[in-house]
Amino acid sequence: DIQDGSVVETQRWLLSCALAGGAAKEMAISETGAARGLVPWVGAAARVPRRGSDDVSTEDGASEEKRTEKNKNLAVDGRAFCFLPLPVRTGLPVHVHAPFELSSNRR
């Protein structure tokens, strides 16, 4: 898309977040967990194809090579976030956000 001489790229992302229960909740509400401010919460974001786009093939006869190439367009070099991006690549195909316990230099 082009608007006012600028190129605009549109992407779709699937977001999911969860507040854990079970052992994670018990750890968070324990005396030590409460003192450290632990919160058993996590979010993830994955890039997905746009509706009606050529991001991925919906053709029955599309070759595996063609589908693989189109899926590379959706590839995400997953990063970790703790309210701001961290200098960490997770190796996952999604971005992960959580209230990680960080050192003062955010590393």
Side-chain angles (χ1 to χ4, degrees), residues 84-99:
L84 294 170
L86 298 171
V88 176
R89 302 279 182 206
T90 64
L92 299 171
V94 299
H95 294 310
V96 177
H97 173 81

Side-chain angles (χ1 to χ4, degrees), residues 11-54:
Q11 298 178 351
R12 287 182 71 214
W13 291 79
L14 176 65
L15 306 177
S16 180
C17 55
L19 186 59
K25 177 183 172 191
E26 293 304 318
M27 184 187 307
I29 63 174
S30 71
E31 187 175 321
T32 303
R36 290 187 170 181
L38 299 182
V39 179
W41 179 81
V42 67
R47 187 163 173 223
V48 295
R50 293 176 292 145
R51 289 188 183 147
S53 76
D54 290 334

